[in-house]
Amino acid sequence: MKINNISREKEQDSFLKGIISDGAHPLPGVNIILKGTSIGTATDFDGEFEFPQRVKEGDILQISYLGYVTQEIKIKKEQTKLNAILTIDMKEDVSCVLMGEVAVNDAYKSKRSLWQKFKNIF
Amino acid sequence: MRLFSLIFTLFFCLILNGQPLDFYKSDFKRADSIANNYNNNTLNNLPVLVYNLTSNLDTEVEKFRSIYKWVCTNIEADHYFGEKTIRTRKKYKSDNISFMKWNEEMQSKMYKKLLKDKKTICSGYAYLLKELCALANIKCEVVNGYSRTINTNVNKIDIPNHSWNAVELNNKWYLVDATLASGFFFVNENRFIKNYNDRYFLVNPELFIKSHYPLDYKWTLLKQQINIDDYVKAPLIYGKRLKHNILPIVPERLKTEISKDESIVFKLRVSKESQIQDFEVVLSNGQSYHVTTSENYSYKNGILEFQYHFKRRGIYDLNLKIANDIIVSYTIKVNKLSRGKNLLSYNL
């Protein structure tokens, strides 16, 4: 029974771990998903994660967080090995230019000069 | 034969107006119901959201529909943030460096608010749609440009103020606007009303150009050139016109001047004659309102035509409404009798 436990722990150790930051600080809540599936995990408060299953060479991981540029990482052979650690820097997506408009239910009124408003009274 | 081809063209136009381009609404039942299943999902995990929205759908257009519908029905428009952005854009109109500095700061705030509250402005809708599409391997671009509202780009070019998307499906580009499709800010109650408007999905580019003028002209998806000056001077049209399938044709400008002895002619493309009884003309001279229904109209080949005669001179705002939805606004300046006009030109 004991032996069994140890071997399972060993297996757990071999899952891919990593740390994700924005270059300066660790980023919590970043998703690490095996591309084309819903298998994956998210980083904790220290920006660290452990992938929930063994990764194979050639697997693609999508690293995604709203507002940051999504990254796709192809797993290399050495990253499938024991205690492999992935470090990733996320970059904020700066391509977004703020424009502003949303729909409002209001009707158009032409702008009138003071004189036009005054004339209207009569 | 000519009559036949005319009827055929009109019929064809109606199909173009009523349905998303190239596809039928019925194609999207499954996509819509999948999007509906994930209502209230958060934005915390975009890849899994996209996986859930698309993995059980076969075609590219269905996948896109599911993502688009989810965005439209789950994201709220942030009216005050929108107004603030427009004010800042107007303020920094000729100072791009200051604007970009502001943009950089606000960008992070916009992302955070979108993530936390699922509330955003047009640029956030367009950004999110693009990101979700990228995760589903669908080519989708953000298009920035000029939209016309009651305060902006009316009669003169103010500022670019809106973002929407172009999406490539089966090697053809299409236009969508998730912001305007999601609902509207209800001024009277000071809150956002969710009200999905399907007519902003894969819109016919010829109709889209009436309300969306891109900074990069290629995103009109049109071959013919339309001048931006004509665009901002056109009558002000509202989103509901798409729902009712009405296209204003005459007058061609927002502002029209006539003299007291003239009548003004209106022409609109109306798809069903039965809609005409729901028409209402709301007139305002800035002081009082007057609602009238026109009895003198003609309806031929899908075109509704009627006239209006003003008894007094002045400046009038004229709104055409159907079933309580405003379709289009005009401003009409009624001058003295033509005799006065002649005198004036004589003096000059």
Side-chain angles (χ1 to χ4, degrees):
Chain A
M1 207 52 200
K2 242 182 177 178
I3 299 162
N4 229 345
N5 263 343
I6 290 166
S7 71
R8 266 182 65 198
E9 268 170 27
K10 260 196 173 168
E11 204 177 84
Q12 291 240 325
D13 274 344
S14 69
F15 286 179
L16 180 69
K17 286 180 181 168
I19 180 156
I20 299 179
S21 72
D22 64 359
H25 307 284
L27 264 183
V30 180
N31 299 293
I32 304 98
I33 306 291
L34 185 64
K35 194 178 177 181
T37 72
S38 58
I39 301 159
T41 185
T43 53
D44 62 16
F45 278 104
D46 301 316
E48 291 173 9
F49 74 89
E50 181 174 345
F51 204 72
Q53 71 172 38
R54 207 185 281 267
V55 288
K56 300 190 299 292
E57 187 185 350
D59 277 352
I60 294 173
L61 298 184
Q62 281 178 325
I63 320 288
S64 149
Y65 189 73
L66 196 144
Y68 288 80
V69 180
T70 301
Q71 294 188 34
E72 288 195 352
I73 287 170
K74 205 170 179 182
I75 297 297
K76 294 184 198 115
K77 199 170 184 187
E78 63 265 27
Q79 286 162 336
T80 60
K81 279 185 192 152
L82 220 82
N83 297 329
I85 288 185
L86 207 60
T87 46
I88 296 164
D89 277 351
M90 294 289 277
K91 286 201 174 57
E92 195 171 35
D93 194 331
V94 291
S95 67
C96 193
V97 184
L98 272 58
M99 307 306 280
E101 216 61 74
V102 299
V104 180
N105 77 322
D106 209 352
Y108 173 73
K109 290 178 202 80
S110 58
K111 290 183 181 62
R112 287 154 204 273
S113 66
L114 212 59
W115 171 240
Q116 284 164 345
K117 282 181 187 164
F118 177 72
K119 266 202 314 196
N120 265 333
I121 299 169
F122 301 100
Chain B
M1 191 59 205
R2 263 183 72 191
L3 184 74
F4 175 75
S5 61
L6 182 74
I7 291 170
F8 181 77
T9 328
L10 276 171
F11 182 67
F12 194 63
C13 285
L14 293 183
I15 293 175
L16 283 182
N17 287 343
Q19 294 279 357
L21 267 187
D22 300 341
F23 302 99
Y24 289 97
K25 257 190 201 168
S26 51
D27 299 344
F28 303 125
K29 272 192 186 145
R30 269 185 73 203
D32 285 356
S33 89
I34 288 172
N36 197 33
N37 281 346
Y38 292 96
N39 257 348
N40 305 321
N41 212 89
T42 65
L43 290 171
N44 291 334
N45 195 335
L46 302 185
V48 170
L49 176 64
V50 168
Y51 176 83
N52 289 336
L53 288 172
T54 60
S55 61
N56 284 322
L57 293 167
D58 308 322
T59 63
E60 209 173 33
V61 63
E62 280 179 292
K63 288 178 186 191
F64 175 70
R65 170 70 177 199
S66 176
I67 293 171
Y68 171 85
K69 190 75 189 282
W70 189 90
V71 170
C72 292
T73 47
N74 282 275
I75 306 299
E76 259 189 44
D78 190 341
H79 176 63
Y80 293 105
F81 187 21
E83 284 207 322
K84 191 176 165 186
T85 309
I86 302 275
R87 271 203 307 277
T88 312
R89 285 198 81 92
K90 282 185 175 170
K91 186 172 140 198
Y92 292 138
K93 196 178 166 187
S94 48
D95 182 359
N96 200 34
I97 295 167
S98 300
F99 176 75
M100 288 320 281
K101 212 175 141 201
W102 180 86
N103 193 73
E104 207 177 298
E105 270 171 40
M106 290 313 282
Q107 202 168 238
S108 313
K109 285 188 185 161
M110 187 189 83
Y111 293 141
K112 280 190 187 119
K113 202 161 191 187
L114 178 58
L115 183 61
K116 200 169 132 259
D117 306 329
K118 292 206 279 181
K119 254 176 118 172
T120 192
I121 55 173
C122 56
S123 316
Y125 278 94
Y127 165 79
L128 182 61
L129 195 58
K130 185 188 99 181
E131 284 300 300
L132 295 176
C133 282
L135 290 167
N137 283 325
I138 297 171
K139 243 197 223 167
C140 179
E141 299 272 349
V142 175
V143 181
N144 294 326
Y146 302 86
S147 84
R148 299 182 70 218
T149 70
I150 57 169
N151 300 316
T152 311
N153 299 324
V154 180
N155 261 323
K156 59 176 180 19
I157 306 158
D158 292 319
I159 47 156
N161 60 337
H162 194 36
S163 311
W164 56 94
N165 295 89
V167 60
E168 196 183 39
L169 303 166
N170 308 330
N171 298 317
K172 188 178 166 187
W173 284 96
Y174 295 90
L175 299 164
V176 297
D177 188 334
T179 313
L180 299 186
S182 69
F184 55 87
F185 187 79
F186 193 41
V187 186
N188 306 8
E189 288 181 20
N190 203 28
R191 68 190 177 99
F192 178 75
I193 309 276
K194 271 188 186 175
N195 184 3
Y196 175 70
N197 184 344
D198 199 45
R199 300 305 166 102
Y200 286 106
F201 182 70
L202 315 186
V203 193
N204 180 353
E206 295 192 9
L207 296 179
F208 208 65
I209 189 67
K210 307 263 179 210
S211 50
H212 297 69
Y213 198 99
L215 289 173
D216 181 349
Y217 196 82
K218 76 170 181 188
W219 292 123
T220 59
L221 309 182
L222 291 173
K223 282 192 191 95
Q224 80 267 30
Q225 278 291 320
I226 287 164
N227 194 323
I228 188 157
D229 214 43
D230 293 335
Y231 169 73
V232 293
K233 284 188 171 141
L236 196 63
I237 47 178
Y238 300 82
K240 288 282 165 61
R241 93 203 136 89
L242 293 170
K243 180 179 138 199
H244 295 288
N245 231 334
I246 290 166
L247 185 68
I249 301 169
V250 173
E252 284 173 354
R253 294 274 158 117
L254 174 74
K255 279 190 181 168
T256 309
E257 281 193 37
I258 54 169
S259 70
K260 233 170 84 172
D261 57 344
E262 288 175 306
S263 293
I264 184 158
V265 178
F266 296 92
K267 282 186 194 172
L268 301 112
R269 186 185 290 157
V270 179
S271 52
K272 282 184 249 135
E273 191 167 7
S274 59
Q275 288 178 294
I276 293 169
Q277 57 185 1
D278 297 330
F279 258 101
E280 233 176 36
V281 181
V282 183
L283 262 181
S284 156
N285 63 358
Q287 291 287 314
S288 53
Y289 286 87
H290 175 58
V291 181
T292 110
T293 42
S294 181
E295 269 145 32
N296 282 324
Y297 67 85
S298 71
Y299 183 73
K300 248 187 248 161
N301 300 330
I303 305 286
L304 168 70
E305 185 177 331
F306 63 93
Q307 294 192 355
Y308 199 87
H309 181 74
F310 293 88
K311 294 192 181 84
R312 295 184 62 187
R313 64 201 170 94
I315 299 172
Y316 298 90
D317 291 334
L318 195 147
N319 294 322
L320 291 184
K321 276 177 143 186
I322 183 160
N324 270 327
D325 292 328
I326 303 184
I327 303 293
V328 55
S329 292
Y330 303 96
T331 301
I332 294 134
K333 191 176 176 203
V334 183
N335 295 319
K336 281 185 216 165
L337 291 177
S338 313
R339 197 166 53 99
K341 233 194 241 167
N342 290 341
L343 260 175
L344 193 70
S345 56
Y346 182 72
N347 284 341
L348 287 169

